[in-house]
Structures are given as structure tokens and as C-alpha cells.
Amino acid sequence: MIPPTLTSPNKLTVPKEETYFTFAVIVSVIAWAALAITIVGLFYALLIAFFIWMGNGLLAAHLRSEAVQVNEQQLPRLYAAYREVCAKFNLDEPPDLYVVQAGGALNAFAARHAGRSFVVVFSDFVDALGTDSAEMKFILGHEIGHLRSRHILKQILLAPGLITPLLGPAYRRSWETSCDRYGAFAAQDINASTRAMMVLSGGKDHAKELQAGPFADQHYHERGFFVSLHELSSTYPTLSKRVTDLLALETGIPAERPPRNPFAYLFASFVPGGNTGAPANALIFVVIIGLLAAMAIPAFQKVREASQLKVCLNNERMLSAAFDQAVLENGKPPTSVAELVGPGKYIKQMPVCLNGGTYVIPRGATSGEEIFCTVHGTMENIQRKFNPTAVRH
Ligand SMILES: [Zn+2]
Ligand SMILES: [Zn+2]
């Protein structure tokens, strides 16, 4: 019997994926806007885009030349199963499918380059699941789900949201949960879908003896701090949780959510998302550092500039007071700073402007307020820099 949740290809995305999508868009729009207005950020963004594009191009080239493209001649049974899955999702033009030997790894992925999508299945995974089994259709459907949901494009456009702690991993996990539903829809067989999971978890030779039910129970029994932290920082739901969700499809009622250790949220909020080891993530990290530096350096310079101005202002105040003192004592205004500064005079040592300015009494000055720094100007000039909107006199 086909469970009610698996009757339409249009209701497979889980609602929380859409919720996380909204948050990821908000974070990403802010981050991209911040990048765009700082020249350094823009430079890094373009550099990263270039590296991602290059890496992606090389991956596509590697597959097109080293991996075997599956078609009517090459692995025709796998190709027929693949066409069948694509037809279930109303895809007239199926993306290219490749099988590649990957040193025994059991995996599959979807990718896109230069406007062409493709699905890649590791050869040992084909050996383990069979070329046209319902298990294989589950895997193919899962990858088609990624393409149909435009996850590859979102991975780039929403990159800032995806590396945000807690949000990014949660959003990525919801992708996998949705895509597992695509897979189950493609297979139209929950048991086969969980068997494919058991192969991922227990390996190809023993999976037949493994049972999905007890494995799903592990998700309910292992609820400690470290398991919670692992779940929160991981971009994939744990395999036991994925099995739990697949089994829940049978009834159409979402699986019960066991609680996580609350301290794990605290720790996970410091773990950036996207810990998949992809070089793109490291590069995005570089962008963030560059962005922070671009924002921090001007702020730091502003603070330093303000303190330099303050020193100069205090110097001028001191000289101005000495000027007024000299007027009182001599009955006429001094004509040079040298009259005010020196041993036995009003100020013992020449005050130093941190920006190398020297202090000058203009010709015919009658007030200490007219003393100016050759770099910063008069006291009034400096005060106006601190408070540009204030109107004086
Ligand atoms: Zn996936
Ligand atoms: Zn100065």
C-alpha cells in the first residue's frame, strides 16, 4: 500500500525547510549587502566565486572524462530505473547520470555546472543496492530531490545563511529530510528506502541482516550531550533519525521529536555550519574574516584618529592658557610659540602633536584661541570634527 504522503511529487518538501529557507534568505541578504558595500568584501566575494566556479568546473570535467555516463548502452537497467524516477517527477530531460569508482565509498550526489545538472552514484553503492532495485530508486529520487529543490543554487546564494551556526546545519538537515521523502516517493516503498539507509549505516554485506526498527530506536535512546551536539552541528540528520522519519511516512504522522540536551545548543551556537570538508566552505570562511576585517579596520582607525585629535586639542588648550597668561604678565600678546615654551617659561616642554603638526601663533593674534596646529588647525576646527553639526558663536 502507498502511504498518503507519497502520492504527489509536489508535497515532499518538509515545512521546516521553508521556514529555515526564510531565515537563511534574511541572513544572506544582509551578508551579501554588507559585502557589496565594502570594497574588500566585494573583492573576496568575487575571488570566492571564481574559486567555486573553477572547482565546480574541474569536478564536472573529471566526471565527464573519468566517470561512466549511464545511458541505453552503459548500464541500461540502471538507466531505465533512472528514467522511471525522472518521469515520476515529470522531468522530460533527465540530468546526466554518472557512475564513478570511489574507492569503496557508498554515496551519491547531485551537482550542477554551466547550466547542466548531473547525478553521480558511486560504483560500490550500485553494487550494494542493485541497478534497478527500489533501494536504488530511493537514492536516485533523493538526488533528483536536491536538483528539483534547487539546493545547488541555494548552496551558493544562501552561503552566509548556511555557515551561520545552528541555522545553517538545521537548514541543511531539512534538505536531507525533504530529499529522503523524494527518494521514498521515487521508490514507492518505505521498506526499501530504510534498507538503503541500513546499507549506508551498516555496510553492504550485513545490511540484509539489519533491522530498521531497532536502528530507529537508537535515535530515541541516545540523547546525551555529545549526541545532541553532533546532531546540531551536523549538516545531515543522523542515519537513525533518517530511518525514524522514513518509517513515520508509513502513517503520515511526523515522528515524535525526542528532546536534545540544552547545553548542546549553547556549544553548537559556536560551530559554523557547512562542516562537510568542501573547499568552498573554507573559502567562504576567508570571506567572512575579510569582511570582518574590512569592517573592523575603519572602526579602529576612527578610534585612533579621535584620540590623536584629543591629544592635539589638549596641547592647544595648554598653549592657549599660556598665551593668555603671557598677555596678562607682559601687557602684549606673544608672537611665537617659543616665547611660551622652554625652561623657566609657561610650559616646560613643547607639546607634541601625534600627527607631526607644529603649533603656530598667527601674525597679529590677540587670543590664545587663534593658535593652530599645522595638521589639525585651531581648537575650534578640532572641536567641529568631534561634533560636526554643532553651531558655534
Ligand atoms: Zn542528500
Ligand atoms: Zn595636531
Side-chain angles (χ1 to χ4, degrees), residues 103-120:
L106 304 175
N107 211 343
F109 64 92
R112 194 173 164 80
H113 183 73
R116 277 167 73 184
S117 301
F118 44 92
V119 171
V120 183

Side-chain angles (χ1 to χ4, degrees), residues 259-283:
R260 290 194 181 106
N261 185 305
F263 289 108
Y265 286 91
L266 183 71
F267 278 76
S269 62
F270 296 100
V271 181
N275 53 346
T276 47
N281 293 317
L283 285 166

Side-chain angles (χ1 to χ4, degrees), residues 308 312-313 316 353-359 373-377 382:
Q308 288 164 342
C312 193
L313 181 67
E316 289 184 348
C353 167
L354 294 174
N355 293 86
T358 51
Y359 298 101
C373 163
T374 52
V375 173
H376 298 117
I382 295 175

Side-chain angles (χ1 to χ4, degrees), residues 62-89:
H62 173 85
L63 291 168
R64 286 189 190 127
S65 48
E66 315 270 1
V68 178
Q69 184 171 2
V70 178
N71 52 33
E72 282 94 348
Q73 288 85 45
Q74 306 275 44
L75 298 168
R77 286 174 65 180
L78 177 60
Y79 189 63
Y82 181 61
R83 292 295 296 238
E84 199 186 303
V85 167
C86 290
K88 279 207 177 83
F89 294 108

Side-chain angles (χ1 to χ4, degrees), residues 163-167 169 229 232-233 263-273 285:
I163 59 166
T164 305
L166 291 174
L167 170 65
L229 182 60
L232 285 170
S233 56
F263 289 108
Y265 286 91
L266 183 71
F267 278 76
S269 62
F270 296 100
V271 181
F285 216 79

